[in-house]
Amino acid sequence: MKTGYSEPTRISEWWRPKAGNILAVIYLVIAITGLSFQQTAFYFLPSIMTIIGIAGFGHFFNDLFDLKADQLAGKKNRVASLSNLVRGLVFAVLLIFALAPWFILPFDKNTVWLLALEFILLIIYAVPPLRLKERSGLGVIADALYAYAIPTSLAAYTFFLISEKPPELVFFILLFSWQFFMGVHNIIINQLEDYEADKVSGLNTMAVKNGTDKAISLKLSLGLLPELLFFMALVTWVGIIHHWSYTILPLLIIIFKLSKIRSQGGLTSLKRLSQSKDYQASSVPYQRFFPLWNLVFCLLISPWYLVVMILDLALFLSVFPSTLRKTASLSVNYAIYFFRRLILEQDPVTARKGAYDDPELLALEQNKHKELPRIAIINRHKAKFTETFVRQHIIHLPFRTYFLYGKGQYLPRFAVNRGHLSALVSFYQDLFGKVPKYLVELAFKIFLKQNRIQVVLAEFGTTGAVVGPHLKDLNIPLIVVFYGYDASNKEILEAYEIQYQKMFRYAHKLIGVSKKICKKLIELGAPKDKVMYLPCSVNLELFKPVERDINDKVFLAVGRFAEMKSPHLTILAFQQVLNKHPEAKLVMAGNTGEQDLFETCKILVRSLDIEDKVEFLGILTPQEVYEAMKVATVFVQHSVTTPVTGDQEGTPVAIMEAMACGLPVVATRHGGIDEIIEHEKTGLLVDEYDVEGMAKVMISLLDNPPLLKGIGIEASKSIRENELIVKHHEILTRIVKESILTP
């Protein structure tokens, strides 16, 4: 189970918003029924247990039947690394958490019906053959019911039973309706945020089936508007029937939200925000005010509810995030560790490793308590499947490493294994949503100071440009690695021109993964003595040379379906190969680029009527890439300098991996490719955009098996004898240590 060591904040993904929502409704029922603290205290823990159990049960089933889809999309899956035995144990524990509390909580036949409906929906939402998740509107309805409407109604009904007062029909109608439309709103937001990943994995969600424009319209018309309407109706009814002052704050917040929408251009503005990927723009932060507002009215019943308020703040507003979450994470993971050691009789290393998602997380944890130089590796993405070079730095650099990331265009906000860089930022975000720039800057600097960071390694020039000024203030050395677009894209170079100049002056070392990048950096104004050529590393232990059947005629392409890699040109060249070798096959691994050429390539293959000759594998793990390379005959890649933005590659890692395992490469004279491939000796090169020339070279290799075999042998030899590649991490380690010693 991956809950604690690998990602302490993982729990919050499903616990905080949904459990907080259910508890808020429980507080509301306590307030309107006048339940004393003595009457309710006994039932709080069982209530929280069943909330965790039911929610965990749903997420477990969802992950269990999303294994393949998540793998294709490159998404983490909590169940993937678990053995069948551990999966069974997790299932049993979640079921106990979900059902055992009902030996304490009061129930009747209505409770049983609600629980039964909840579990039925949880199962048929995820499990084939029904799998409502992929049945468009039915999936949205099912999710809204099982994640929002039914759990909150069940919780409210249970506490009405505790109060021994008759359930109020109007209250339940308004509550159920509000929660249902809130669920519709939120599931559509989730589908929009997962749109690209779901397209990649083939999940036919409502958003994928209908497109983002339609989904955004439905989010607003069938989600936000009825959600706000029924919420206002609910709080108004509570105010009229129970206490007039109750209505004041909720209505003010909703009126403020509506006035803000109107001032920004009404629904047209919200739709525009949503189309700019700000899908959360329409959300109402109930979890920030609704539980506390209800607890204020509970305090009128008994001052002992202050205890509940403090605990609620600690759990949901991150007042004490580190202590509580780390304690919970450690408790869960040590329980798993000792179970593996004592019951399964695993050795300590095996038992401990099972708690980690990825090798780099294990590397981070293993060096955590060692007296080593402290470095921060910073990247925009946390785990982009194409950026294996970042993963290699985390795994192999012999330092106490902190990996910082953030999806925005500004400073990183998160650290792997730690969550938010600062509890202050987390607390502010919980309360107000958007975090001001100055707080992000403050959190970043405090994190670097508290963890005594001695060097920052910025992955990509744009990252270095953003963090550079703040490192200068703290006198922390900066090393920046440029990989391609960050030194070639015209728009990037224009946007970051001033920041690059400042970074060039401050940085200790500027590393280019190709000689062309190094030359470009010097042209841009970087001091020559700071610029260094160092190609990416290759996992030579994984990508070993293999004996291959050169008669199979299988061409392999691996990489993003992006303009710079031009997979469509590879397909056009392959079509010409089929005229001479109709039995040949093209296998393409990878997926969406920035403009989604993946679907364009599928359309092209269909239009050329060669669907039976081209196979799309989707996103692969490094091990799966190697397995594909073992059975391939030739590796192909038609990289180009894009005509509009001028984007160029550095030295593609996939090409070096292919060479390392003895797979002959046909590629273009582009970026750093012709710096590692010697034409007609360690590979074959053609000019950019020369589709016919590429086809001829591909044919020539199939027609000349000795040449094909010889190039493969020489290619593997050239990679394994290239000290810059083989000793990449040793060289980078030396650079880091030098930067620490340089005053």
Side-chain angles (χ1 to χ4, degrees):
M1 189 172 180
K2 300 185 265 184
T3 306
Y5 280 102
S6 60
E7 199 68 73
T9 57
R10 173 75 66 183
I11 298 170
S12 66
E13 291 179 9
W14 54 269
W15 160 257
R16 292 180 71 187
K18 293 176 183 175
N21 184 49
I22 295 171
L23 288 173
V25 171
I26 290 175
Y27 305 151
L28 175 56
V29 174
I30 291 172
I32 65 178
T33 59
L35 277 167
S36 68
F37 182 78
Q38 288 74 16
Q39 288 176 286
T40 58
F42 182 66
Y43 296 106
F44 273 118
L45 183 58
S47 299
I48 292 173
M49 280 184 63
T50 192
I51 291 169
I52 293 173
I54 294 173
F57 182 89
H59 280 265
F60 175 81
F61 262 86
N62 205 35
D63 282 355
L64 186 63
F65 289 91
D66 276 355
L67 287 171
K68 182 62 177 177
D70 287 346
Q71 182 184 29
L72 289 172
K75 292 169 62 178
K76 286 188 176 180
N77 185 300
R78 286 175 284 263
V79 177
S81 66
L82 305 181
S83 66
N84 288 332
L85 174 61
V86 176
R87 288 175 187 175
L89 290 170
V90 171
F91 174 80
V93 169
L94 290 172
L95 206 57
I96 291 170
F97 263 68
L99 298 179
W102 294 99
F103 286 100
I104 299 173
L105 296 169
F107 65 91
D108 60 16
K109 63 180 181 179
N110 294 325
T111 306
V112 174
W113 278 110
L114 285 171
L115 276 171
L117 183 57
E118 174 75 359
F119 278 97
I120 290 170
L121 285 170
L122 286 172
I123 293 171
I124 64 175
Y125 179 79
V127 181
L130 289 177
R131 193 159 164 78
L132 297 183
K133 182 175 186 175
E134 297 194 60
R135 296 183 183 269
S136 192
L138 286 176
V140 172
I141 293 171
D143 190 283
L145 287 172
Y146 83 70
Y148 290 87
I150 293 176
T152 49
S153 298
L154 177 62
Y157 186 76
T158 301
F159 274 76
F160 264 105
L161 292 180
I162 294 170
S163 72
E164 299 182 353
K165 293 183 178 180
E168 300 173 353
L169 181 59
V170 176
F171 171 83
F172 276 95
I173 291 173
L174 295 176
L175 172 67
F176 187 91
S177 301
W178 166 47
Q179 287 291 303
F180 175 76
F181 288 110
M182 183 200 291
V184 170
H185 187 191
N186 285 318
I187 184 56
I188 296 177
I189 288 175
N190 291 339
Q191 289 187 3
L192 285 166
E193 291 176 336
D194 288 342
Y195 176 77
E196 292 296 337
D198 289 341
K199 275 186 67 178
V200 169
S201 60
L203 279 179
N204 191 30
T205 63
M206 186 278 295
V208 171
K209 183 177 180 179
N210 294 285
T212 55
D213 286 346
K214 179 71 171 178
I216 289 167
S217 296
L218 292 173
K219 174 172 76 78
L220 299 176
S221 60
L222 297 182
L224 175 65
L225 292 180
E227 173 192 337
L228 294 180
L229 175 65
F230 281 106
F231 179 71
M232 288 191 293
L234 175 66
V235 298
T236 301
W237 182 86
V238 172
I240 293 172
I241 301 299
H242 294 281
H243 203 297
W244 66 269
S245 61
Y246 178 83
T247 308
I248 297 173
L249 179 64
L251 282 186
L252 283 176
I253 290 174
I254 297 302
I255 291 169
F256 174 76
K257 182 73 177 180
L258 290 173
S259 64
K260 191 174 180 181
I261 292 172
R262 184 180 178 185
S263 68
Q264 293 174 341
L267 291 179
T268 303
S269 174
L270 275 180
K271 188 169 182 179
R272 186 167 60 250
L273 281 171
S274 295
Q275 288 169 334
S276 68
K277 307 300 183 186
D278 189 5
Y279 299 124
Q280 298 283 353
S282 59
S283 296
V284 180
Y286 298 105
Q287 70 270 24
R288 295 174 200 147
F289 75 88
F290 199 49
L292 296 180
W293 183 242
N294 293 333
L295 281 169
V296 167
F297 285 85
C298 292
L299 285 171
L300 299 177
I301 301 168
S302 170
W304 280 102
Y305 281 112
L306 183 62
V307 175
V308 180
M309 182 177 285
I310 293 170
L311 290 174
D312 193 279
L313 282 168
L315 286 170
F316 301 109
L317 291 182
S318 306
V319 175
F320 313 114
S322 300
T323 303
L324 288 171
R325 291 181 191 160
K326 286 181 181 178
T327 300
S329 295
L330 287 172
S331 299
V332 170
N333 283 283
Y334 273 113
I336 294 170
Y337 172 76
F338 285 113
F339 172 82
R340 288 171 172 157
R341 292 283 289 118
L342 300 175
I343 306 301
L344 302 183
E345 298 183 348
Q346 293 180 351
D347 63 87
V349 175
T350 304
R352 181 71 74 188
K353 279 186 178 181
Y356 298 90
D357 288 307
D358 297 302
E360 68 264 30
L361 296 176
L362 178 60
L364 291 175
E365 193 68 23
Q366 285 177 332
N367 288 338
K368 184 175 179 180
H369 302 293
K370 296 180 181 178
E371 289 300 321
L372 297 169
R374 295 164 175 257
I375 73 166
I377 295 178
I378 303 180
N379 192 27
R380 180 181 176 187
H381 302 103
K382 178 183 177 183
K384 193 173 182 180
F385 71 95
T386 55
E387 295 177 357
T388 55
F389 39 83
V390 177
R391 296 162 63 92
Q392 291 295 305
H393 287 165
I394 296 170
I395 294 170
H396 294 293
L397 290 181
F399 303 110
R400 181 166 176 180
T401 303
Y402 299 79
F403 180 36
L404 280 54
Y405 66 96
K407 292 183 179 179
Q409 297 292 339
Y410 197 57
L411 292 173
R413 297 191 183 191
F414 308 95
V416 168
N417 283 358
R418 291 168 176 263
H420 275 281
L421 296 187
S422 167
L424 176 64
V425 171
S426 178
F427 178 61
Y428 193 100
Q429 186 170 357
D430 285 334
L431 280 176
F432 305 110
K434 190 174 181 180
V435 182
K437 181 178 175 180
Y438 75 88
L439 270 185
V440 178
E441 294 177 357
L442 180 62
F444 178 62
K445 290 182 177 180
I446 289 174
F447 181 89
L448 297 180
K449 285 182 178 179
Q450 286 182 339
N451 292 285
R452 306 195 304 280
I453 300 300
Q454 296 169 274
V455 180
V456 166
L457 175 63
E459 305 284 1
F460 294 93
T462 49
T463 304
V466 167
V467 303
H470 306 285
L471 301 181
K472 185 177 181 181
D473 292 342
L474 300 173
N475 198 28
I476 297 175
L478 171 65
I479 300 168
V480 187
V481 186
F482 287 79
Y483 290 99
Y485 85 91
D486 47 356
S488 61
N489 184 288
K490 296 173 185 176
E491 295 174 357
I492 292 291
L493 295 181
E494 182 178 349
Y496 285 85
E497 181 180 5
I498 296 175
Q499 290 170 287
Y500 270 19
Q501 296 305 316
K502 293 179 179 178
M503 176 182 66
F504 290 160
R505 290 193 293 270
Y506 179 70
H508 172 77
K509 193 67 72 175
L510 304 164
I511 297 171
V513 299
S514 75
K515 294 177 183 177
K516 290 185 178 69
I517 289 177
C518 293
K519 182 180 178 182
K520 182 66 175 179
L521 291 176
I522 294 171
E523 290 174 359
L524 291 172
K528 287 184 180 181
D529 61 331
K530 290 186 177 183
V531 177
M532 178 179 181
Y533 167 55
L534 184 64
C536 295
S537 66
V538 176
N539 186 349
L540 298 178
E541 292 183 3
L542 175 59
F543 292 92
K544 297 177 181 177
V546 294
E547 286 291 331
R548 62 188 76 252
D549 187 346
I550 59 177
N551 297 313
D552 281 346
K553 301 181 181 180
V554 177
F555 293 94
L556 174 67
V558 177
R560 291 180 301 121
F561 280 67
E563 286 85 347
M564 189 165 52
K565 293 183 182 289
S566 294
H568 54 301
L569 299 185
T570 298
I571 292 170
L572 291 174
F574 174 71
Q575 184 207 18
Q576 297 183 33
V577 173
L578 290 174
N579 296 330
K580 178 74 182 294
H581 295 277
E583 70 279 20
K585 183 178 180 181
L586 173 62
V587 177
M588 307 191 81
N591 228 299
T592 55
E594 293 175 2
Q595 300 301 321
D596 201 9
L597 281 180
F598 179 70
E599 193 161 11
T600 300
C601 288
K602 283 204 163 188
I603 293 170
L604 177 60
V605 166
R606 179 172 294 185
S607 70
L608 296 174
D609 195 24
I610 56 174
E611 286 183 283
D612 60 328
K613 297 295 181 181
V614 182
E615 182 180 2
F616 295 93
L617 297 181
I619 297 171
L620 303 181
T621 64
Q623 180 63 48
E624 290 170 332
V625 169
Y626 176 59
E627 295 300 324
M629 288 180 174
K630 284 167 64 176
V631 297
T633 313
V634 179
F635 187 92
V636 286
Q637 184 163 316
H638 198 111
S639 297
V640 300
T641 302
T642 57
V644 176
T645 62
D647 265 2
Q648 290 186 354
E649 294 216 65
T651 305
V653 175
I655 287 180
M656 295 193 291
E657 290 171 344
M659 294 173 69
C661 65
L663 185 60
V665 175
V666 174
T668 49
R669 295 181 179 91
H670 168 91
I673 296 174
D674 57 356
E675 297 168 5
I676 59 166
I677 292 180
E678 184 179 346
H679 182 53
E680 295 184 338
K681 182 178 180 183
T682 59
L684 295 176
L685 300 172
V686 299
D687 291 334
E688 293 183 15
Y689 297 100
D690 186 2
V691 173
E692 186 174 345
M694 186 174 191
K696 288 179 180 179
V697 168
M698 292 164 70
I699 292 170
S700 70
L701 275 177
L702 295 184
D703 289 342
N704 191 343
L707 174 64
L708 189 153
K709 186 174 182 178
I711 286 179
I713 293 171
E714 289 298 319
S716 180
K717 185 179 177 182
S718 70
I719 292 294
R720 294 173 185 281
E721 291 180 353
N722 188 324
E723 288 199 357
L724 291 179
I725 295 173
V726 175
K727 296 185 177 181
H728 172 97
H729 295 107
E730 293 179 33
I731 296 169
L732 191 53
T733 297
R734 174 172 51 80
I735 294 170
V736 171
K737 290 181 177 179
E738 287 175 354
S739 69
I740 296 174
L741 297 174
T742 303

